[in-house]
Amino acid sequence: VMTQSPVSLPVTPGEPASISCRSSQSLLSRNGYNYLDWYVQKPGQSPQLLIYLASNRASGVPDRFSGSGSGTDFTLKISRVEAEDVGIYYCMQAYRTLWTFGQGTKVEIK
Amino acid sequence: EVQLVDSGGGLVQPGGSLKLSCAASGFIFSDSALHWVRQASGKGLEWIGRIRTKPNNYETAYAASVEGRFTISRDDSKNTAYLQMNSLNDDDTAVYYCARHVEYSALPRIWGQGTMVTVSS
């Protein structure tokens, strides 16, 4: 089970934001990788990969996005929120065959 | 360009069938497991199944909600994966995405753009 918090996150442009994701089981593989991704889904679009393996930014993702954590506890941080960052953010574990997702965090501008 | 293109969605009556396709380009398709994920309108993401690679005997796995009704297959010569959906019901109405996963690697997941399936009479 993937537990994400908060469910809703009102943010002020220019301010930082943080989303937490907790797994009921460790996502740390024997190869040393944490199979935890972060996605953002904007209205009418497919999920877009932001962070993979817990802390690796996907190609083209601004460096204001960062991921951290290991094992069961993970965090997505936005150093300075911009208006274009609104959307629903999901964490997803790809450690087990049956991928599971957090319930999503809706980021909106105050 | 590394990408997956989902296609084949549409309107189907309850009890009907539909086959989705996921066409890959820009990477070694045969080295990748292919997963299918769906999302009903206004809902979260639901994993529905995956197919592994030839060295892993094209092993498949399914979510309980689709087991026995959905079948995933692949044709590595065409760089394409398929999702055969039978006995469709209203709960299967969703956008369906395929996604690449190279097992035991540090490569990122890649997702298709999704294809809409509507089950309605």
Side-chain angles (χ1 to χ4, degrees), chain A residues 35 37 39 41 46 52 98-99, chain B residues 35 39 97 105-106 109 111:
Chain A
Y35 284 92
D37 293 346
Y39 295 87
Q41 188 171 34
S46 63
Y52 64 101
L98 194 162
W99 291 355
Chain B
H35 292 244
Q39 185 176 36
Y97 302 97
S105 84
R109 257 62 53 204
W111 288 52

Side-chain angles (χ1 to χ4, degrees), chain A residues 2-106:
Chain A
M2 305 295 289
T3 304
Q4 233 179 289
S5 63
V7 173
S8 178
L9 183 59
V11 295
T12 301
E15 293 297 307
S18 179
I19 301 171
S20 173
C21 179
R22 177 166 290 178
S23 172
S24 58
Q25 294 179 287
S26 176
L27 305 182
L28 180 59
S29 178
R30 285 178 294 178
N31 60 14
Y33 299 127
N34 285 281
Y35 284 92
L36 186 284
D37 293 346
W38 289 97
Y39 295 87
V40 60
Q41 188 171 34
K42 301 182 179 181
Q45 297 184 18
S46 63
Q48 301 296 313
L49 180 66
L50 290 171
I51 302 289
Y52 64 101
L53 299 179
S55 60
N56 294 272
R57 262 191 308 277
S59 177
V61 173
D63 60 8
R64 63 180 181 275
F65 291 92
S66 64
S68 63
S70 183
T72 61
D73 290 292
F74 301 90
T75 303
L76 175 70
K77 292 184 179 178
I78 310 174
S79 59
R80 295 173 305 279
V81 173
E82 297 188 5
E84 66 183 28
D85 297 336
V86 297
I88 301 176
Y89 289 73
Y90 295 96
C91 60
M92 183 198 89
Q93 68 79 19
Y95 176 77
R96 289 176 288 280
T97 295
L98 194 162
W99 291 355
T100 49
F101 300 85
Q103 69 269 46
T105 295
K106 188 173 184 179

